[in-house]
């Protein structure tokens, strides 16, 4: 059986084509989407979980070294790895929020995969994370369909990291392919996510159109200019229809980070001064919420930084605010801040006021917010998304007949207005914000594996 597999930054979903109709496959009860999150007692639990509980073996000397090190550390910590130690999706987040300091938690590992400069051991560990998540999705989908799933077309962004990063793209796609193979898929292919979204839209067309697909996902924004219509449906070779692609590491996660940075960090001492008049380093307020930056997270949550933060609190003109930042560091609250920023972003897309609520464990901090606060906060990523649209237009030298917007963050009226301002006379249409990529991948899987 072949599926389309959207291994997304925010959520994972899968679908199959049955009698030319896309059928999404439930993954958690009746839910078609599972958040791209994982939790475990420790990071090392994941590698041993794959080997001991799922009989998934590592690849090569590096993978074996990661497993050996994990098993040794687990023994030293007295951890006897069990199947239910590793949680996924909302279950993972719920467990983490109960006690952030005692749980290893990762959101959106896809955001890390293209990072250049990581050591081989780190890359192998990321492969284990992705493999565990893919294996869970595969098992849940097989339980829902009562069929073995052996073939998959997996979506990928145009660029995993920055612009034109060929090395990043090769590294990231390699991790995804090895992880999927280890998870049990016998045949794996990839398709650009905006192209997949376009394929789903194309199935509704009765005439030829030039379509600008704008896919604003959790981790990346991708734009593709595509010739679409009945003459292309069912064509495996369609390079002549693909007129231009642009993409960058800007997505819903980045919007949430900017919302938290611009609206929450004043309560933790950003732009405050030491008694000497010198500023507190700005990185101390960015790093805790930069959940898509491995190195930033490591720097903020390292034990040596706790010493630095305590020193800064002693020197600060507003020590009570730096004390809150220390609470974030000691209790690993960065993900909680980003979750509340996401809640605010969604709420203020539909209403004028919202009161953000941040749990500091010993105190509840409330921050009143207005809809214009979101627009101001995401001004920089908004400009970058507009630049991607302009770049796709320049590449293709084509004026679109329609703009097809998809991805969870495409619901934002701020981003829709920003894209409309680039092409004021071109109509914007939208389909299933969360499911169009998955549906298009399912259609491509049916073509490639029939």
């Amino acid at each position: 059986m072949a599926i389309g597999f959207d291994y997304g930054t925010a959520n994972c979903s899968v679908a199959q084509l049955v009698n030319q109709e896309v059928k999404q496959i439930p993954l958690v009860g009746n839910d078609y989407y599972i958040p791209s999150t994982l939790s475990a007692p420790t990071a090392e639990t994941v590698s041993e979980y794959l080997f001991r509980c799922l009989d998934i073996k590592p690849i090569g000397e590096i993978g074996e070294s990661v497993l050996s090190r994990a098993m040794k550390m687990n023994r030293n910590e007295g951890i006897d790895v069990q199947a239910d130690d590793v949680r996924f999706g909302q279950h993972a987040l719920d467990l983490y929020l109960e006690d952030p300091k005692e749980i290893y938690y990762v959101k959106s590992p896809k955001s890390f995969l293209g990072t250049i400069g990581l050591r081989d051991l780190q890359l192998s560990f990321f492969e284990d994370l992705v493999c565990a998540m893919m294996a869970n999705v595969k098992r849940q989908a097989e339980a829902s369909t009562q069929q073995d799933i052996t073939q998959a077309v997996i979506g990928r962004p145009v660029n995993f990291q920055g612009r034109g990063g060929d090395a990043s793209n090769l590294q990231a796609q390699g991790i995804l392919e090895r992880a999927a193979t280890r998870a049990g898929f016998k045949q794996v292919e990839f398709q650009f996510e905006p192209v997949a979204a376009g394929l789903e839209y194309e199935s509704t067309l009765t005439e030829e159109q030039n379509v600008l697909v704008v896919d604003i996902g959790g981790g990346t924004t991708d734009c593709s200019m595509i010739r679409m219509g009945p003459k292309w449906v069912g064509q495996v070779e369609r390079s002549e229809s693909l007129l231009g692609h642009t993409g960058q590491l800007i997505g819903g996660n980045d919007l949430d980070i900017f919302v938290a940075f611009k609206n929450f960090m004043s309560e933790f001492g950003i732009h405050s001064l030491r008694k000497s008049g010198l500023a507190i380093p700005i990185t101390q307020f960015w790093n805790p919420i930069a959940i898509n930056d491995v190195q930033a997270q490591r720097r903020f949550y390292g034990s040596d930084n706790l010493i630095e933060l305590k020193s800064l609190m002693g020197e600060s003109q507003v020590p009570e605010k730096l004390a809150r930042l220390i609470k974030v560091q000691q209790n690993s609250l960065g993900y909680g801040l980003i979750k509340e920023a996401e809640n605010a972003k969604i709420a203020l897309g539909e209403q004028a006021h919202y009161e953000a609520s941040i749990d500091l464990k010993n105190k509840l901090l409330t921050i009143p917010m207005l809809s214009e606060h979101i627009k101001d906060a995401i001004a920089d990523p908004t400009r970058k998304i507009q630049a991607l649209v302009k770049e796709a237009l320049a590449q293709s030298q084509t004026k679109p007949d329609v703009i097809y917007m998809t991805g969870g963050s495409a619901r934002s009226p701020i981003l829709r207005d920003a894209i409309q301002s680039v092409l004021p006379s071109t109509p914007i249409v939208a389909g299933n914000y969360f499911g169009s990529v998955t549906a298009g991948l399912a259609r491509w899987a049916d073509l490639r594996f029939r």
Side-chain angles (χ1 to χ4, degrees):
M1 174 180 164
I3 61 168
F5 189 164
D6 183 8
Y7 179 71
T9 305
N11 296 288
C12 295
S13 60
V14 295
Q16 63 178 142
L17 199 68
V18 180
N19 298 324
Q20 298 308 305
E21 184 179 350
V22 173
K23 299 287 188 182
Q24 279 196 260
I25 300 170
L27 297 177
V28 183
N30 294 322
D31 292 338
Y32 296 121
Y33 304 96
I34 181 170
S36 300
T37 58
L38 175 152
S39 71
T42 65
E44 291 73 28
T45 305
V46 178
S47 299
E48 186 170 353
Y49 161 81
L50 287 174
F51 179 72
R52 189 176 301 282
C53 302
L54 302 185
D55 195 30
I56 295 176
K57 298 176 175 58
I59 298 176
E61 293 183 8
I62 299 297
E64 291 174 358
S65 177
V66 169
L67 175 60
S68 177
R69 176 177 176 274
M71 294 177 74
K72 180 178 180 181
M73 293 185 70
N74 288 333
R75 283 197 303 273
N76 291 342
E77 293 290 329
I79 297 173
D80 181 20
V81 177
Q82 303 294 319
D84 62 352
D85 284 340
V86 178
R87 307 287 182 90
F88 303 93
Q90 190 62 42
H91 293 304
L93 177 59
D94 291 343
L95 188 62
Y96 168 75
L97 291 177
E98 285 180 15
D99 194 352
K101 197 64 178 176
E102 296 301 319
I103 296 293
Y104 173 76
Y105 175 80
V106 62
K107 176 182 179 181
S108 311
K110 184 180 177 182
S111 299
F112 309 149
L113 304 185
T115 304
I116 295 299
L118 297 176
R119 298 189 302 272
D120 287 343
L121 288 174
Q122 290 174 304
L123 294 174
S124 181
F125 173 66
F126 287 154
E127 183 184 310
D128 282 352
L129 287 177
V130 176
C131 181
M133 295 171 72
M134 286 185 166
N136 177 64
V137 169
K138 184 174 184 292
R139 291 199 315 275
Q140 298 300 330
E142 288 177 335
S144 292
T145 61
Q146 295 295 299
Q147 296 184 65
D148 291 333
I149 300 173
T150 58
Q151 301 162 315
V153 171
I154 299 172
R156 55 150 290 183
V158 174
N159 288 312
F160 284 87
Q161 189 89 16
R163 293 174 183 266
D166 290 339
S168 291
N169 292 335
L170 287 171
Q171 173 181 289
Q173 184 167 310
I175 292 172
L176 290 174
E177 186 167 12
R178 289 191 299 274
T181 300
R182 292 174 63 201
F185 293 104
K186 305 300 183 187
Q187 291 179 281
V188 175
E189 290 199 9
F190 292 87
Q191 178 59 274
F192 285 147
E193 289 160 356
V195 173
L199 293 174
E200 176 60 11
Y201 176 63
E202 184 177 61
S203 69
T204 69
L205 296 179
T206 58
E207 60 183 11
E208 307 304 308
Q209 287 188 339
N210 293 321
V211 181
L212 176 64
V213 180
V214 182
D215 178 15
I216 310 176
T220 58
T221 293
D222 295 304
C223 301
S224 290
M225 186 74 78
I226 311 174
R227 288 195 183 105
M228 293 184 182
K231 68 173 282 189
W232 296 103
V233 173
Q235 299 294 319
V236 173
E237 174 49 54
R238 53 180 304 163
S239 57
E240 291 183 6
S241 74
L242 307 178
L243 306 180
H245 300 296
T246 61
Q248 196 173 2
L249 195 70
I250 310 164
N253 281 350
D254 299 272
L255 303 181
D256 300 336
I257 290 167
F258 273 88
V259 169
F261 185 68
K262 296 287 188 179
N263 292 281
F264 296 169
M265 285 297 120
S266 60
E267 300 296 329
F268 297 88
I270 194 172
H271 304 312
S272 64
L273 301 176
R274 308 182 207 202
K275 293 171 184 175
S276 65
L278 295 175
I280 305 292
I282 202 77
T283 53
Q284 292 288 8
F285 306 96
W286 179 262
N287 289 350
I289 56 176
I291 62 170
N292 53 7
D293 185 334
V294 178
Q295 304 301 343
Q297 294 280 282
R298 182 175 290 118
R299 285 191 293 268
F300 183 78
Y301 289 107
S303 57
D304 55 338
N305 194 47
L306 178 58
I307 298 171
E308 174 67 14
L309 288 172
K310 288 181 176 178
S311 175
L312 289 171
M313 184 178 72
E315 300 173 23
S316 174
Q317 295 182 14
V318 286
E320 71 282 0
K321 291 188 176 183
L322 268 293
R324 294 172 184 162
L325 191 63
I326 289 174
K327 281 285 185 185
V328 173
Q329 202 273 356
Q330 291 181 311
N331 293 284
S332 303
L333 300 181
Y335 281 108
L337 290 172
I338 293 302
K339 180 61 179 174
E340 184 58 10
E342 181 186 17
N343 292 340
K345 177 188 71 177
I346 293 170
L348 290 170
E350 302 175 350
Q351 61 197 52
H353 303 85
Y354 180 78
E355 189 167 272
S357 180
I358 299 170
D359 185 0
L360 294 177
K361 296 306 172 186
N362 64 341
K363 182 181 179 181
L364 198 64
L365 183 65
T366 58
I367 303 173
M369 295 178 65
L370 302 174
S371 56
E372 54 261 36
H373 292 158
I374 301 297
K375 185 174 182 179
D376 292 342
I378 66 174
D380 182 62
T382 298
R383 284 190 292 270
K384 291 179 179 179
I385 291 171
Q386 288 175 310
L388 288 173
V389 171
K390 294 174 183 177
E391 186 179 339
L393 296 174
Q395 269 191 29
S396 64
Q397 292 295 296
T398 301
K399 185 180 185 302
D401 299 305
V402 67
I403 303 166
Y404 180 67
M405 290 189 66
T406 190
S409 293
R411 296 173 298 168
S412 166
I414 297 169
L415 297 182
R416 290 174 69 86
D417 290 346
I419 290 169
Q420 189 74 83
S421 71
V422 178
L423 291 160
S425 62
T426 305
I428 293 178
V429 299
N432 183 335
Y433 287 116
F434 294 99
S436 61
V437 170
T438 313
L441 293 171
R443 292 183 183 280
W444 195 248
D446 183 69
L447 279 176
R448 298 301 294 163
F449 297 126
R450 63 172 48 166

